[in-house]
């Protein structure tokens, strides 16, 4: 039997916890830096720079270090890395560049314009019909997008973003898009530079409040599989969006090894790409990982090594998974931190219920906007939902907020 791989997962949130838990089935895993909640739940965490850690494989979780070039630095030092270099990560780091790449690769996406001054931006907005969509060009933790039926609000948002008020330098360029409608879908693919293989489809919930109300967040929950999406739909998205994008990257010399995550809207004219992310989705990963069968480390290592053709494609349990995110009071605008969390230290592991620590600080207190993710598994989405909410009820902290309608519609 091959020796167990030593895997270092870079990051500190719920996504990294879920990745580590799945990788740990077949590999020796450390998370760098992780957080005290993960540690309490049985994941080894080390707070040294990743460059100082010896591992057979590095898996980078968040977008910011990828955009900043951690993939290049680790690879240049001779490591095997699952995660693109800075050139590929620009797909997420600049929405304007991403739109240009999609247009060049003939990938269906919303019509758009890119602006660095308010006058022409507002003129373009006025030429479109509602809903109006204003995006910050750079990284904004999922919060740089405004979708509104109110033209005045859209114009004010353009001014605020371009003035650097809302997102600093990341907002000095805005992308304005045609408003699309339809259900949303997240499809992540594992890429080895030349080939891409899909993971199970998932759906996330970006708005803070029930009924898709309130501000956009990093994600308040997710579920998988998505009943409205079958294997043919997944194949069509791979052929129409993911593979052409990977090829377009390769054409300009980018050897993209990592996750290509397509955020799509299933419009009446077919699926259109809203965004590409260059890493695993959060909280889609918290829903997906417990469903992923077999050796996750083997597949990620093969992708990082450019030889996905040497391993079997990812396979998923037939069970449904529903993830509910427990957020801090005041999230997303001004999360209140430092609250003691009850129920985490007495959490009992269970194959149908998983707890992932996202924003947990020393002494098991709240330390971020999204604090914990609870994922339930079940034979149906309804059963998985019940499990997840039952689990959510076992955790408490002052001001805890979570949506009560995650996957409710899909459960029927
Ligand atoms: P993004 O970060 O680009 O995926 O945008 C965040 C969210 O804003 C998406 O999940 C959609 O709900 C919404 N959104 C983004 N682009 C559009 C669009 N062109 N039309 C309608 N809604 C959009
Ligand atoms: N769940 C959305 C994201 O990871 O960007």
């Amino acid at each position: 039997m091959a020796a167990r791989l030593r895997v270092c997962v870079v990051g500190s949130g719920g996504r990294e916890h879920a990745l580590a838990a799945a990788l740990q089935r077949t590999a020796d895993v450390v998370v760098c830096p992780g957080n005290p909640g993960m540690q309490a739940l049985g994941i080894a965490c080390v707070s040294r720079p990743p460059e100082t850690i010896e591992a057979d494989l590095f898996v980078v979780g968040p977008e910011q270090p990828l955009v900043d070039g951690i993939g290049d630095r680790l690879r240049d030092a001779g490591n095997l890395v699952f995660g693109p270099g800075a050139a590929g990560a620009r797909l997420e780091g600049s929405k304007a560049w991403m739109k240009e790449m999609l247009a060049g690769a003939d990938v269906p996406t919303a019509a758009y314009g890119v602006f660095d001054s308010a006058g022409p931006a507002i003129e373009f907005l006025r030429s479109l019909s509602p809903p109006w969509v204003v995006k910050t060009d750079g990284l904004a933790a999922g919060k740089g997008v405004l979708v509104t039926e109110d033209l005045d609000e859209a114009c004010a948002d353009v001014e605020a973003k371009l003035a650097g008020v809302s997102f600093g330098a990341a907002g000095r360029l805005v992308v304005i898009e045609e408003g699309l409608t339809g259900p949303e879908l997240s499809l992540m693919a594992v890429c080895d530079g030349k080939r891409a293989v899909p993971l199970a489809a998932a759906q996330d919930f970006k708005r803070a409040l029930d009924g898709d109300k309130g501000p956009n967040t990093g994600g308040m929950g997710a579920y998988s599989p998505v009943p409205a999406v079958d294997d043919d739909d997944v194949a069509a998205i791979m052929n129409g969006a993911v593979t052409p994008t990977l090829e377009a990257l390769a054409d300009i010399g980018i050897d993209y090894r990592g996750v290509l995550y397509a955020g799509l809207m299933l419009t009446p004219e077919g699926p259109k790409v809203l965004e590409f992310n260059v890493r695993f989705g959060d909280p889609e990963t918290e829903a997906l990982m417990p469903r992923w069968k077999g050796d996750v480390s083997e597949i990620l290592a093969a992708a990082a090594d450019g030889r996905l053709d040497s391993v079997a494609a990812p396979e998923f349990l037939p069970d449904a998974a529903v993830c509910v995110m427990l957020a801090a009071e005041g999230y997303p605008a001004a999360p209140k931190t430092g609250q003691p969390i009850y129920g985490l230290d007495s959490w009992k592991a269970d194959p149908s219920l998983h707890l992932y620590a996202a924003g947990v600080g020393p002494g098991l207190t709240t330390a971020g906007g999204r604090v914990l993710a609870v994922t339930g598994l079940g034979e149906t989405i309804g059963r998985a939902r019940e499990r997840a909410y039952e689990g959510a009820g076992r955790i408490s902290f002052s001001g805890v907020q979570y949506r009560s309608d995650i996957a409710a519609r899909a459960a029927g």
Side-chain angles (χ1 to χ4, degrees):
M1 223 179 88
R4 281 167 76 87
L5 288 182
R6 294 166 305 163
V7 182
C8 174
V9 176
V10 179
S12 64
R15 163 187 49 212
E16 287 75 31
H17 188 169
L19 281 165
L23 287 160
Q24 201 160 266
R25 299 195 304 248
T26 54
D28 294 330
V29 180
V30 291
V31 183
C32 174
N35 70 52
M38 281 183 212
Q39 188 100 43
L41 292 163
I43 303 285
C45 300
V46 286
S47 50
R48 293 205 313 270
E51 286 84 352
T52 66
I53 290 169
E54 268 190 46
D56 303 309
L57 172 68
F58 286 82
V59 177
V60 183
E63 59 277 17
Q64 187 75 58
L66 290 167
V67 169
D68 294 343
I70 194 174
D72 304 306
R73 288 197 306 279
L74 288 170
R75 255 188 290 269
D76 288 349
N79 296 296
L80 200 55
V81 184
F82 185 80
R90 197 168 167 219
L91 212 48
E92 182 164 357
S94 167
K95 285 188 188 286
W97 189 71
M98 182 262 298
K99 295 291 281 189
E100 211 179 289
M101 287 296 289
L102 295 191
D106 270 336
V107 172
T109 186
Y112 74 107
V114 178
F115 303 92
D116 61 6
S117 66
I122 288 171
E123 198 178 314
F124 185 62
L125 268 178
R126 290 189 191 283
S127 75
L128 300 171
S129 357
W132 288 282
V133 181
V134 181
K135 300 186 177 183
T136 301
D137 176 58
L139 291 182
K143 296 163 212 152
V145 176
L146 176 75
V147 181
T148 178
E149 298 285 331
D150 178 347
L151 182 58
D152 290 338
E153 189 189 6
C155 295
D157 190 54
V158 165
E159 307 254 12
K161 280 177 175 153
L162 287 177
V165 176
S166 17
F167 295 101
R172 298 246 184 226
L173 204 58
V174 293
V175 177
I176 291 176
E177 288 184 10
E178 161 200 21
L180 302 176
T181 51
E184 287 184 47
L185 183 73
S186 304
L187 185 70
M188 294 187 259
V190 169
C191 305
D192 75 351
K194 296 183 271 310
R195 288 159 285 255
V197 292
L199 304 181
Q203 198 159 59
D204 78 340
F205 293 78
K206 288 213 168 72
R207 300 291 188 121
L209 306 175
D210 280 7
D212 291 327
K213 303 243 176 353
N216 264 320
T217 69
M220 294 297 287
Y223 69 93
S224 173
V226 182
V229 174
D230 62 19
D231 289 350
D232 290 345
D233 298 322
V234 169
I237 294 166
M238 291 300 290
N239 293 332
V242 176
T243 304
T245 302
L246 187 64
E247 285 169 0
L249 290 167
D251 285 347
I252 55 169
I254 296 175
D255 185 5
Y256 190 101
R257 301 182 185 194
V259 167
L260 257 185
Y261 159 144
L264 301 135
M265 201 164 252
L266 306 176
T267 76
E269 301 99 66
K272 293 193 180 180
V273 172
L274 295 176
E275 61 168 347
F276 267 114
N277 295 322
V278 299
R279 34 96 197 155
F280 285 102
D282 194 351
E284 289 92 332
T285 303
E286 289 92 311
L288 271 189
M289 284 298 146
R291 295 191 57 223
W292 190 335
K293 290 202 286 189
D295 193 338
V296 177
S297 66
E298 183 187 38
I299 294 180
L300 301 191
D305 204 21
R307 48 172 184 84
L308 265 181
D309 53 345
S310 70
V311 293
E315 278 191 72
F316 290 82
L317 296 174
D319 307 54
V322 173
C323 168
V324 175
M325 190 60 81
L326 310 187
E329 182 179 353
Y331 179 71
K336 190 169 164 192
T337 57
Q339 302 301 314
I341 301 167
Y342 303 99
L344 195 159
D345 51 357
S346 58
W347 186 265
K348 293 268 177 301
D350 170 339
S352 70
L353 191 59
H354 300 260
L355 181 64
Y356 301 122
V360 178
L364 304 185
T365 55
T366 62
R370 296 190 293 176
V371 179
L372 289 151
V374 187
T375 299
L377 273 92
E379 280 174 20
T380 61
I381 293 179
R383 267 304 292 151
R385 255 191 112 233
E386 282 166 23
R387 269 321 259 144
Y389 280 107
E390 188 194 314
R394 292 196 211 160
I395 297 283
S396 65
F397 53 86
S398 171
V400 60
Q401 53 157 332
Y402 53 90
R403 281 182 60 160
S404 68
D405 64 346
I406 301 299
R409 220 171 318 141

mmCIF file with all atom_site columns, all heavy atoms in Angstrom, residues 27-40:
data_model
loop_
_atom_site.group_PDB
_atom_site.id
_atom_site.type_symbol
_atom_site.label_atom_id
_atom_site.label_alt_id
_atom_site.label_comp_id
_atom_site.label_asym_id
_atom_site.label_entity_id
_atom_site.label_seq_id
_atom_site.pdbx_PDB_ins_code
_atom_site.Cartn_x
_atom_site.Cartn_y
_atom_site.Cartn_z
_atom_site.occupancy
_atom_site.B_iso_or_equiv
_atom_site.pdbx_formal_charge
_atom_site.auth_seq_id
_atom_site.auth_comp_id
_atom_site.auth_asym_id
_atom_site.auth_atom_id
_atom_site.pdbx_PDB_model_num
ATOM 1  N N   . ALA A 1 27 ? -5.263  10.604 4.518  1.00 0.00 ? 27 ALA A N   1
ATOM 2  C CA  . ALA A 1 27 ? -3.971  11.301 4.556  1.00 0.00 ? 27 ALA A CA  1
ATOM 3  C C   . ALA A 1 27 ? -3.724  11.865 5.949  1.00 0.00 ? 27 ALA A C   1
ATOM 4  O O   . ALA A 1 27 ? -4.650  11.952 6.758  1.00 0.00 ? 27 ALA A O   1
ATOM 5  C CB  . ALA A 1 27 ? -3.973  12.438 3.533  1.00 0.00 ? 27 ALA A CB  1
ATOM 6  N N   . ASP A 1 28 ? -2.461  12.243 6.205  1.00 0.00 ? 28 ASP A N   1
ATOM 7  C CA  . ASP A 1 28 ? -2.128  12.941 7.454  1.00 0.00 ? 28 ASP A CA  1
ATOM 8  C C   . ASP A 1 28 ? -2.203  14.429 7.155  1.00 0.00 ? 28 ASP A C   1
ATOM 9  O O   . ASP A 1 28 ? -1.491  14.909 6.261  1.00 0.00 ? 28 ASP A O   1
ATOM 10 C CB  . ASP A 1 28 ? -0.721  12.560 7.912  1.00 0.00 ? 28 ASP A CB  1
ATOM 11 C CG  . ASP A 1 28 ? -0.660  11.085 8.289  1.00 0.00 ? 28 ASP A CG  1
ATOM 12 O OD1 . ASP A 1 28 ? -1.690  10.550 8.741  1.00 0.00 ? 28 ASP A OD1 1
ATOM 13 O OD2 . ASP A 1 28 ? 0.402   10.461 8.093  1.00 0.00 ? 28 ASP A OD2 1
ATOM 14 N N   . VAL A 1 29 ? -3.064  15.125 7.893  1.00 0.00 ? 29 VAL A N   1
ATOM 15 C CA  . VAL A 1 29 ? -3.397  16.497 7.511  1.00 0.00 ? 29 VAL A CA  1
ATOM 16 C C   . VAL A 1 29 ? -3.044  17.487 8.617  1.00 0.00 ? 29 VAL A C   1
ATOM 17 O O   . VAL A 1 29 ? -3.300  17.220 9.795  1.00 0.00 ? 29 VAL A O   1
ATOM 18 C CB  . VAL A 1 29 ? -4.918  16.601 7.200  1.00 0.00 ? 29 VAL A CB  1
ATOM 19 C CG1 . VAL A 1 29 ? -5.293  18.025 6.789  1.00 0.00 ? 29 VAL A CG1 1
ATOM 20 C CG2 . VAL A 1 29 ? -5.309  15.627 6.101  1.00 0.00 ? 29 VAL A CG2 1
ATOM 21 N N   . VAL A 1 30 ? -2.483  18.625 8.220  1.00 0.00 ? 30 VAL A N   1
ATOM 22 C CA  . VAL A 1 30 ? -2.429  19.775 9.124  1.00 0.00 ? 30 VAL A CA  1
ATOM 23 C C   . VAL A 1 30 ? -3.069  20.951 8.398  1.00 0.00 ? 30 VAL A C   1
ATOM 24 O O   . VAL A 1 30 ? -2.980  21.051 7.170  1.00 0.00 ? 30 VAL A O   1
ATOM 25 C CB  . VAL A 1 30 ? -0.991  20.193 9.538  1.00 0.00 ? 30 VAL A CB  1
ATOM 26 C CG1 . VAL A 1 30 ? -0.348  19.160 10.425 1.00 0.00 ? 30 VAL A CG1 1
ATOM 27 C CG2 . VAL A 1 30 ? -0.131  20.512 8.342  1.00 0.00 ? 30 VAL A CG2 1
ATOM 28 N N   . VAL A 1 31 ? -3.726  21.810 9.184  1.00 0.00 ? 31 VAL A N   1
ATOM 29 C CA  . VAL A 1 31 ? -4.280  23.029 8.612  1.00 0.00 ? 31 VAL A CA  1
ATOM 30 C C   . VAL A 1 31 ? -3.438  24.194 9.114  1.00 0.00 ? 31 VAL A C   1
ATOM 31 O O   . VAL A 1 31 ? -3.058  24.248 10.282 1.00 0.00 ? 31 VAL A O   1
ATOM 32 C CB  . VAL A 1 31 ? -5.760  23.228 9.000  1.00 0.00 ? 31 VAL A CB  1
ATOM 33 C CG1 . VAL A 1 31 ? -6.315  24.475 8.331  1.00 0.00 ? 31 VAL A CG1 1
ATOM 34 C CG2 . VAL A 1 31 ? -6.580  22.018 8.588  1.00 0.00 ? 31 VAL A CG2 1
ATOM 35 N N   . CYS A 1 32 ? -3.143  25.111 8.198  1.00 0.00 ? 32 CYS A N   1
ATOM 36 C CA  . CYS A 1 32 ? -2.231  26.200 8.503  1.00 0.00 ? 32 CYS A CA  1
ATOM 37 C C   . CYS A 1 32 ? -2.890  27.527 8.145  1.00 0.00 ? 32 CYS A C   1
ATOM 38 O O   . CYS A 1 32 ? -3.107  27.761 6.974  1.00 0.00 ? 32 CYS A O   1
ATOM 39 C CB  . CYS A 1 32 ? -0.968  25.969 7.670  1.00 0.00 ? 32 CYS A CB  1
ATOM 40 S SG  . CYS A 1 32 ? 0.218   27.269 7.775  1.00 0.00 ? 32 CYS A SG  1
ATOM 41 N N   . PRO A 1 33 ? -3.314  28.376 9.072  1.00 0.00 ? 33 PRO A N   1
ATOM 42 C CA  . PRO A 1 33 ? -3.166  28.211 10.513 1.00 0.00 ? 33 PRO A CA  1
ATOM 43 C C   . PRO A 1 33 ? -4.352  27.501 11.176 1.00 0.00 ? 33 PRO A C   1
ATOM 44 O O   . PRO A 1 33 ? -4.235  27.160 12.345 1.00 0.00 ? 33 PRO A O   1
ATOM 45 C CB  . PRO A 1 33 ? -3.115  29.663 11.004 1.00 0.00 ? 33 PRO A CB  1
ATOM 46 C CG  . PRO A 1 33 ? -4.019  30.407 10.070 1.00 0.00 ? 33 PRO A CG  1
ATOM 47 C CD  . PRO A 1 33 ? -3.864  29.720 8.735  1.00 0.00 ? 33 PRO A CD  1
ATOM 48 N N   . GLY A 1 34 ? -5.459  27.287 10.471 1.00 0.00 ? 34 GLY A N   1
ATOM 49 C CA  . GLY A 1 34 ? -6.636  26.716 11.127 1.00 0.00 ? 34 GLY A CA  1
ATOM 50 C C   . GLY A 1 34 ? -7.183  27.647 12.194 1.00 0.00 ? 34 GLY A C   1
ATOM 51 O O   . GLY A 1 34 ? -6.920  28.855 12.162 1.00 0.00 ? 34 GLY A O   1
ATOM 52 N N   . ASN A 1 35 ? -7.951  27.092 13.123 1.00 0.00 ? 35 ASN A N   1
ATOM 53 C CA  . ASN A 1 35 ? -8.470  27.907 14.227 1.00 0.00 ? 35 ASN A CA  1
ATOM 54 C C   . ASN A 1 35 ? -8.754  27.002 15.432 1.00 0.00 ? 35 ASN A C   1
ATOM 55 O O   . ASN A 1 35 ? -8.792  25.771 15.294 1.00 0.00 ? 35 ASN A O   1
ATOM 56 C CB  . ASN A 1 35 ? -9.703  28.712 13.773 1.00 0.00 ? 35 ASN A CB  1
ATOM 57 C CG  . ASN A 1 35 ? -10.936 27.847 13.532 1.00 0.00 ? 35 ASN A CG  1
ATOM 58 O OD1 . ASN A 1 35 ? -11.333 27.055 14.396 1.00 0.00 ? 35 ASN A OD1 1
ATOM 59 N ND2 . ASN A 1 35 ? -11.555 27.971 12.366 1.00 0.00 ? 35 ASN A ND2 1
ATOM 60 N N   . PRO A 1 36 ? -8.923  27.597 16.628 1.00 0.00 ? 36 PRO A N   1
ATOM 61 C CA  . PRO A 1 36 ? -9.090  26.785 17.835 1.00 0.00 ? 36 PRO A CA  1
ATOM 62 C C   . PRO A 1 36 ? -10.327 25.871 17.807 1.00 0.00 ? 36 PRO A C   1
ATOM 63 O O   . PRO A 1 36 ? -10.340 24.824 18.465 1.00 0.00 ? 36 PRO A O   1
ATOM 64 C CB  . PRO A 1 36 ? -9.225  27.829 18.949 1.00 0.00 ? 36 PRO A CB  1
ATOM 65 C CG  . PRO A 1 36 ? -8.520  29.040 18.415 1.00 0.00 ? 36 PRO A CG  1
ATOM 66 C CD  . PRO A 1 36 ? -8.797  29.037 16.935 1.00 0.00 ? 36 PRO A CD  1
ATOM 67 N N   . GLY A 1 37 ? -11.331 26.248 17.022 1.00 0.00 ? 37 GLY A N   1
ATOM 68 C CA  . GLY A 1 37 ? -12.527 25.404 16.916 1.00 0.00 ? 37 GLY A CA  1
ATOM 69 C C   . GLY A 1 37 ? -12.218 24.107 16.187 1.00 0.00 ? 37 GLY A C   1
ATOM 70 O O   . GLY A 1 37 ? -12.625 23.014 16.595 1.00 0.00 ? 37 GLY A O   1
ATOM 71 N N   . MET A 1 38 ? -11.471 24.210 15.093 1.00 0.00 ? 38 MET A N   1
ATOM 72 C CA  . MET A 1 38 ? -11.063 23.001 14.349 1.00 0.00 ? 38 MET A CA  1
ATOM 73 C C   . MET A 1 38 ? -10.241 22.095 15.239 1.00 0.00 ? 38 MET A C   1
ATOM 74 O O   . MET A 1 38 ? -10.437 20.884 15.266 1.00 0.00 ? 38 MET A O   1
ATOM 75 C CB  . MET A 1 38 ? -10.118 23.388 13.194 1.00 0.00 ? 38 MET A CB  1
ATOM 76 C CG  . MET A 1 38 ? -10.770 23.934 12.009 1.00 0.00 ? 38 MET A CG  1
ATOM 77 S SD  . MET A 1 38 ? -9.440  24.220 10.782 1.00 0.00 ? 38 MET A SD  1
ATOM 78 C CE  . MET A 1 38 ? -10.164 25.618 9.987  1.00 0.00 ? 38 MET A CE  1
ATOM 79 N N   . GLN A 1 39 ? -9.301  22.732 15.940 1.00 0.00 ? 39 GLN A N   1
ATOM 80 C CA  . GLN A 1 39 ? -8.408  21.977 16.814 1.00 0.00 ? 39 GLN A CA  1
ATOM 81 C C   . GLN A 1 39 ? -9.245  21.197 17.843 1.00 0.00 ? 39 GLN A C   1
ATOM 82 O O   . GLN A 1 39 ? -9.010  20.003 18.053 1.00 0.00 ? 39 GLN A O   1
ATOM 83 C CB  . GLN A 1 39 ? -7.479  22.972 17.529 1.00 0.00 ? 39 GLN A CB  1
ATOM 84 C CG  . GLN A 1 39 ? -6.376  22.354 18.318 1.00 0.00 ? 39 GLN A CG  1
ATOM 85 C CD  . GLN A 1 39 ? -5.039  22.362 17.572 1.00 0.00 ? 39 GLN A CD  1
ATOM 86 O OE1 . GLN A 1 39 ? -4.675  23.361 16.955 1.00 0.00 ? 39 GLN A OE1 1
ATOM 87 N NE2 . GLN A 1 39 ? -4.334  21.261 17.628 1.00 0.00 ? 39 GLN A NE2 1
ATOM 88 N N   . ALA A 1 40 ? -10.251 21.862 18.415 1.00 0.00 ? 40 ALA A N   1
ATOM 89 C CA  . ALA A 1 40 ? -11.101 21.210 19.423 1.00 0.00 ? 40 ALA A CA  1
ATOM 90 C C   . ALA A 1 40 ? -11.896 20.062 18.803 1.00 0.00 ? 40 ALA A C   1
ATOM 91 O O   . ALA A 1 40 ? -12.307 19.137 19.502 1.00 0.00 ? 40 ALA A O   1
ATOM 92 C CB  . ALA A 1 40 ? -12.053 22.240 20.040 1.00 0.00 ? 40 ALA A CB  1
#
